[in-house]
Amino acid sequence: MHTMNSTHHEHAPDVVGVPLASLIAEASFVDVVFLLLRGSRPLERERAMLDAMLVAACDHGEEPPSTVAARVSASTGNALHTAIAAGILTMGPRHGCAVSAAMELLARAGDPVAVVHAAIAADERLPGFGHKVYTEEDPRTTALFIRASTLGIAGPPLERARALSEALATAKGRRIPLNVDGCLAALALALGFPSAAGNALFLVSRLPGLAAHALAGSTMTSYMRAPASSENR
């Protein structure tokens, strides 16, 4: 993992050793995310892949817990940043914050069949697998794998994700889809990101979606908002 070394040099800020003015002039936002979280500038295909990954998780409708929390918080009159924070604080291992754990799973050695049977025996969930809506296939995963193939992004993490998915389906007798967290994990490993940065990628991706829902929620009339003349309870 790289060491963060953004500084101010001669009254001009650097981002991981690159002058911020230079990045402003010719870098994309995705370039800077890659630089900050992996410590180097991306190749063109790496930039395109990360761009697709961030698009894939940017929003998922009004039902996810983090979205509900952001909208409800905004509807009670909270400021935008408070509503967004409410959404972020709702995320956990079963929503939004499974990418790092899935990266660790995919980076771990061991036979996929043995890994799956050990998890089932311990009644443990495999991070990055399963979805309450997508019971057969997560369309975001499918689209990302197609994009990865187009860009020539491949390698052991993607192969291991598929192998675990097959082993899980065989053991369970039904498809347990590789969800977007697991797909992001496989692709992040293929791009060289450390597992500690995995959840950050999801958060960066979902932030605009939470902001949009919070802005929409601020126009709602909530049963939780007390009339101006009443005492807050």
Side-chain angles (χ1 to χ4, degrees):
M1 182 186 304
H2 74 276
T3 300
M4 183 65 198
N5 62 343
S6 297
T7 61
H8 277 73
H9 177 66
E10 296 180 356
H11 308 292
D14 286 355
V15 176
V16 195
V18 182
L20 181 58
S22 173
L23 294 173
I24 291 171
E26 50 83 24
S28 71
F29 181 68
V30 173
D31 285 326
V32 178
V33 171
F34 202 99
L35 176 63
L36 285 167
L37 297 182
R38 210 197 75 168
S40 62
R41 297 284 293 272
L43 302 173
E44 184 175 348
R45 66 190 182 98
E46 292 174 328
R47 179 192 303 110
M49 189 72 256
L50 181 58
D51 199 8
M53 292 162 63
L54 296 179
V55 170
C58 67
D59 186 48
H60 201 236
E62 297 183 7
E63 293 185 357
S66 59
T67 303
V68 173
R71 292 179 72 99
V72 170
S73 180
S75 75
T76 64
N78 281 319
L80 178 64
H81 70 281
T82 303
I84 292 172
I88 291 173
L89 291 172
T90 308
M91 294 182 184
R94 296 189 180 182
H95 168 53
C97 286
V99 181
S100 289
M103 289 177 73
E104 292 173 359
L105 171 67
L106 295 176
R108 195 182 310 154
D111 175 57
V113 174
V115 170
V116 165
H117 282 288
I120 292 174
D123 196 25
E124 295 177 348
R125 295 168 60 99
L126 287 179
F129 292 88
H131 197 277
K132 68 175 184 178
V133 176
Y134 306 126
T135 57
E136 293 288 327
E137 180 179 314
D138 190 326
R140 299 166 295 180
T141 294
T142 302
L144 282 172
F145 277 161
I146 290 172
R147 183 64 171 144
S149 178
T150 300
L151 293 170
I153 305 293
L158 278 70
E159 295 167 6
R160 185 165 176 78
R162 293 188 179 98
L164 283 167
S165 184
E166 291 301 321
L168 194 56
T170 299
K172 289 285 190 178
R174 59 186 175 87
R175 298 299 304 179
I176 306 292
L178 179 71
N179 60 38
V180 74
D181 290 345
C183 184
L184 291 176
L187 292 168
L189 285 170
L191 293 178
F193 284 93
S195 60
N199 290 342
L201 292 175
F202 187 94
L203 291 171
V204 169
S205 173
R206 187 54 62 92
L207 186 60
L210 289 177
H213 283 289
L215 290 169
S218 67
T219 65
M220 295 166 52
T221 300
S222 171
Y223 72 91
M224 297 177 67
R225 182 183 294 142
S229 59
S230 69
E231 179 185 356
N232 289 328
R233 299 181 183 276

